[in-house]
Amino acid sequence: MTNSSAEYQSAYEHSLRDPDAFWGQAAEGITWFRRWDRVRDASRPPFTRWFPGAVMNTCYNAVDRHVERGRGKQRALIYDSPVTGVVRIFTYSDLLDRVARLAGSLRAYGVEQGDRVIIYMPAVPEAVFAMLACARLGAIHSVVFGGFAARELATRIDDARPKLILTASCGIEATRVIPYKPLLDKAIGLASHKPARSVVLQRPQLAAPLVEGQDVDWEEALTRGTPAECVPVAATDPLYILYTSGTTGIPKGVVRDNGGHAVALNWSMDRVFSAGAGDVFWAASDIGWTVGHGYIVYAPLLHGATSVLYEGKPVGTPDAGAFWRVCAQHGVNVLFTAPTAFRAIKREDPRGLLMRSHDLSRFRLLFLAGERCDPDTLSWAQEQLGVPVIDHWWQTELGWPAIANCVGLGMLPVKPGSPTKPVPGFDIHVLGSDGAVLAPGETGQIAIRLPLPPGALPTLWNNDEGFVRSYLSQHDGYYVTVDAGYRDKDGYFYVMSRVDDIINVAGHRLSTGAMEEVLSGHPDVAECAVVGAADALKGELPVGFVVLKSGVSRGDGEITGELVNRIKDTIGAFACFRTAIVVTALPKTRSGKILRGTMKKIADGAEYALPATIDDPAVLTHIAERLRSVGYAKPVE
Ligand code: COA
Ligand code: AMP
């Protein structure tokens, strides 16, 4: 085996040597109403705009053109919902009909090109129709993951200032129904911007009471207006805003444009995922995440493939064979999920018996992303499935994979623990703190030399300055990923950890800083710290340490219970904040900096050196004792 595929190598070099020619060629995969003046506009550094002057519509490319080309009868979207026992199949013609009608009714409620629409919905087909209907009108959607609590939704409402909010009466988790409407109403109450209307999809599992004049029933909304045609938009116009955790409680509004996004995602289907038109592609994620936007909705549809929308879990709906049942029933060729899902499956079906009880003859490839893929999980999946298992790395900001084994360009040998090599378009380096490119094997910050390729964020919503400050100002000419890692002598990357306060809980990106803000708001808390402790299933779990104000006489258990509920009610249950520990002091340096890194190492039972600048070493002993009392800080075996 060699470490390079000639096709990959040549594509990669071409993409860096002449990005305009490379992406101009890739753009032939998209249908344009008007072609671009230039492939790339770099006249306002450090910003890059792709395909200025071009006019197109993302929904047209994802839906209409397939029907016009005779693929109307092909399955476009398969909705499989073990939590409701429903499977629904929509052909491209069905999709066109649903999306055009919904777009017409959104217009009847005043939505025009450039308006924002928040979509706060579970994984139901109407959420996909809603995203495409916005794209059809040139309106900008902002999908908010249904697991977020009211305060998080309110922050997004205030930043995006939507004209309409689309929601459902409830989401359905494995064991319970989650009413969405009270969360939405609370969020609108908290927000200073008030959307004109909420359109509510009533699900049979739980109807929501609607407020006259404010809420509209989804079915009734559909009786308004007439089916809408695609509105031509500039390639550089925003398609969507997706908020992601930053290092404070204020999320960042990642902007995705129309043209560059369509070009990159369509290109990635063949080259990265080796999936063609007509293949069945399943991204087992949620539409609220970047993976869901890109690979449940846009990429498979732009490419004319069939996409699976799954409303369930890898285990418990009903068992650890759920993924294999879906793959067999719908003929899935390519599956994309997070390693944590596989750890959950492995825990319940270690010998793969449930897996083997299904016909997986059409299943070709498994892609894993969202968190570091531990070699054990990778090799277990490979052995059990007997197909290539591909770890690949990306971020909400980048919108599609940046480091991957581009199977469609010739598969490279897999090195467990590495997502392989940079994808064409991404000029990735490991930098030292002085900005110098480090030698193979040396760990530093992973950074991408500008320009970022099409599909990556052109800016943050209404915040060019924040975009430059957060990502482009640290090292001149580079986008910093805020991930640390190294490159080996063969050019393979190893992504080891974040260098900010972001932790990864079951593939979900969460800010410990945001959690600390919530804990500090409790009247009895003097100061606090949250760290991500290693967890065998979810990768990391947050652990909170709190110092109480002097004179607080209530029991610790009562207060920690309140703290756990606070995080659940302000951020969401998916943060899995279950451990809050009362301590007498937090370990600090003499200059007062909290030693979160050392606390994490203690929690993980890892080796740690006593920091030279520590103020009081006895505090670390106290922290270790408290952690041991709740099951952490055990030596690693
Ligand atoms: N709406 C409301 N609540 C939600 C939710 C949603 N959309 N998603 C999760 N939650 C809640 C759950 O009900 C649960 O609440 P509880 O602790 O009160 O019971 C909590 O958040 C944690 O949920 P989850 O992370 O799903 O944990 P789990 O233990 O039920 O399942 C896994 C564990 C590994 C199976 C699950 O985390 C999983 O499927 N992970 C894959 C994640 C993924 O695909 N990420 C996308 C990255 S590409
Ligand atoms: P998100 O923006 O939610 O997609 O999270 C992005 C972050 O998840 C990255 O910055 C990494 O820290 C982590 N991540 C995603 N994929 C991988 C991977 N394959 N290996 C290691 N870390 C990953």
Side-chain angles (χ1 to χ4, degrees):
M1 276 201 299
T2 66
N3 277 319
S4 78
S5 128
E7 197 181 349
Y8 159 75
Q9 201 56 34
S10 135
Y12 187 64
E13 283 165 14
H14 183 200
S15 74
L16 300 196
R17 194 177 56 247
D18 192 351
D20 294 9
F22 184 87
W23 291 112
Q25 208 174 318
E28 299 302 340
I30 292 302
T31 306
W32 305 89
F33 299 151
R34 178 185 187 278
R35 287 171 75 84
W36 48 92
D37 299 328
R38 272 170 298 170
V39 171
R40 180 170 53 114
D41 175 8
S43 61
R44 196 167 70 96
F47 298 92
T48 302
R49 296 286 153 149
W50 290 95
F51 308 105
V55 176
M56 48 89 70
N57 182 285
T58 297
C59 179
Y60 175 81
N61 276 277
V63 185
D64 303 50
R65 67 168 176 164
H66 303 306
V67 177
E68 288 170 13
R69 291 176 185 179
R71 304 179 82 94
K73 292 201 176 116
Q74 186 196 307
R75 296 178 301 174
L77 187 68
I78 300 170
Y79 166 61
D80 189 308
S81 169
V83 293
T84 57
V86 171
V87 172
R88 288 163 74 192
I89 293 175
F90 303 90
T91 63
Y92 272 100
S93 293
D94 296 334
L95 194 58
L96 176 56
D97 174 54
R98 305 279 180 150
V99 171
R101 280 204 292 137
L102 182 56
S105 68
L106 296 184
R107 179 178 278 157
Y109 283 97
V111 176
E112 296 292 343
Q113 183 174 2
D115 287 339
R116 275 81 57 214
V117 174
I118 280 190
I119 300 172
Y120 181 61
M121 296 181 78
V124 290
E126 288 78 2
V128 177
F129 306 156
M131 292 165 76
L132 292 164
C134 290
R136 195 169 188 83
L137 296 177
I140 303 164
H141 62 70
S142 187
V143 180
V144 179
F145 171 57
F148 275 120
R151 198 196 67 159
E152 293 286 331
L153 178 56
T155 317
R156 287 154 174 79
I157 293 174
D158 274 339
D159 198 67
R161 305 181 66 78
K163 195 169 252 182
L164 276 193
I165 299 198
L166 307 182
T167 192
S169 54
C170 64
I172 301 158
E173 281 291 285
T175 53
R176 66 203 154 106
V177 171
I178 315 242
Y180 274 29
K181 190 66 188 358
L183 294 169
L184 174 62
D185 290 343
K186 190 170 168 198
I188 294 176
L190 289 170
S192 22
H193 172 81
K194 306 293 175 196
R197 288 259 196 284
S198 303
V199 181
V200 185
L201 176 75
Q202 295 283 22
R203 304 190 73 185
Q205 292 74 17
L206 179 77
L210 303 186
V211 178
E212 183 84 41
Q214 166 62 34
D215 303 324
V216 185
D217 180 89
W218 192 282
E219 291 305 321
E220 149 136 35
L222 283 175
T223 62
R224 301 281 183 92
T226 51
E229 291 305 313
C230 292
V231 172
V233 301
T236 49
D237 281 345
L239 168 69
Y240 68 76
I241 308 166
L242 177 56
Y243 289 89
T244 191
S245 300
T247 47
T248 65
I250 309 293
K252 294 171 173 162
V254 168
V255 172
R256 199 79 63 211
D257 66 10
N258 273 277
H261 171 255
V263 169
L265 267 68
N266 182 56
W267 184 90
S268 75
M269 283 296 283
D270 283 325
R271 275 50 165 224
V272 180
F273 295 99
S274 189
D279 273 348
V280 181
F281 190 93
W282 176 20
S285 176
D286 187 281
I287 48 149
W289 306 122
T290 187
V291 170
H293 280 62
Y295 291 89
I296 296 175
V297 184
Y298 288 111
L301 298 179
L302 285 164
H303 208 56
T306 301
S307 181
V308 178
L309 175 70
Y310 178 68
E311 191 182 26
K313 302 264 175 183
V315 295
T317 57
D319 57 30
F323 273 21
W324 319 122
R325 193 270 304 158
V326 173
C327 286
Q329 187 168 335
H330 307 300
V332 171
N333 306 110
V334 181
L335 170 63
F336 175 170
T337 188
T340 190
F342 260 78
R343 290 196 292 270
I345 294 171
K346 178 179 159 198
R347 197 166 68 171
E348 296 202 4
D349 184 23
R351 290 194 292 140
L353 299 178
L354 289 167
M355 189 185 283
R356 274 184 282 285
S357 69
H358 295 280
D359 171 12
L360 298 182
S361 53
R362 283 165 293 182
F363 185 55
R364 286 200 318 263
L365 285 163
L366 170 65
F367 285 84
L368 297 175
E371 56 174 328
R372 189 174 141 71
C373 181
D374 53 290
D376 278 357
T377 302
L378 185 96
S379 57
W380 181 81
Q382 233 156 11
E383 274 161 32
Q384 298 298 328
L385 287 164
V387 300
V389 179
I390 311 294
D391 175 14
H392 62 312
W393 172 91
W394 50 311
Q395 305 186 303
T396 302
E397 290 85 344
L398 301 175
W400 62 293
I403 304 180
N405 200 331
C406 295
V407 182
L409 294 173
M411 191 169 150
L412 300 173
V414 169
K415 293 196 190 190
S418 167
T420 314
K421 294 190 182 187
V423 170
F426 291 95
D427 187 7
I428 309 190
H429 298 271
V430 179
L431 305 183
S433 49
D434 59 355
V437 175
L438 297 182
E442 288 184 344
T443 298
Q445 174 144 202
I446 298 175
I448 309 176
R449 204 199 294 273
L450 300 178
L452 293 175
L457 80 173
T459 189
L460 294 176
W461 178 246
N462 276 342
N463 193 2
D464 282 354
E465 194 206 321
F467 172 55
V468 174
R469 194 179 52 245
S470 300
Y471 302 103
L472 308 183
S473 60
Q474 200 177 333
H475 297 298
D476 202 24
Y478 285 93
Y479 161 94
V480 293
T481 66
V482 205
D483 273 343
Y486 63 94
R487 170 182 226 162
D488 74 8
K489 60 179 181 12
D490 298 321
Y492 280 59
F493 277 81
Y494 291 77
V495 182
M496 306 310 288
S497 61
R498 293 282 298 197
V499 291
D500 58 3
D501 71 349
I502 298 290
I503 60 169
N504 199 313
V505 179
H508 303 133
R509 172 168 160 175
L510 288 150
S511 156
T512 54
M515 292 189 216
E516 289 177 6
E517 277 177 31
V518 174
L519 299 184
S520 311
H522 188 285
D524 293 342
V525 170
E527 59 177 343
C528 66
V530 176
V531 303
D535 180 74
L537 175 65
K538 299 198 175 186
E540 285 182 300
L541 280 178
V543 174
F545 301 84
V546 291
V547 178
L548 300 181
K549 287 180 181 161
S550 63
V552 172
S553 56
R554 293 192 305 138
D556 290 359
E558 196 182 330
I559 296 170
T560 53
E562 289 169 8
L563 294 172
V564 166
N565 284 334
R566 255 178 185 250
I567 300 268
K568 196 170 180 169
D569 293 344
T570 41
I571 296 178
F574 74 102
C576 294
F577 182 86
R578 295 183 190 126
T579 312
I581 308 172
V582 174
V583 294
T584 52
L586 294 174
K588 290 184 185 167
T589 61
R590 280 189 285 278
S591 61
K593 196 167 175 298
I594 298 173
L595 293 162
R596 293 183 180 79
T598 313
M599 293 164 84
K600 174 178 168 47
K601 284 191 179 143
I602 297 176
D604 293 350
E607 296 274 328
Y608 67 93
L610 202 61
T613 53
I614 191 162
D615 184 37
D616 179 1
V619 177
L620 283 182
T621 316
H622 168 63
I623 295 284
E625 276 165 13
R626 298 294 288 123
L627 276 164
R628 268 194 294 277
S629 72
V630 292
Y632 284 99
K634 301 272 170 12
V636 179
E637 281 155 27

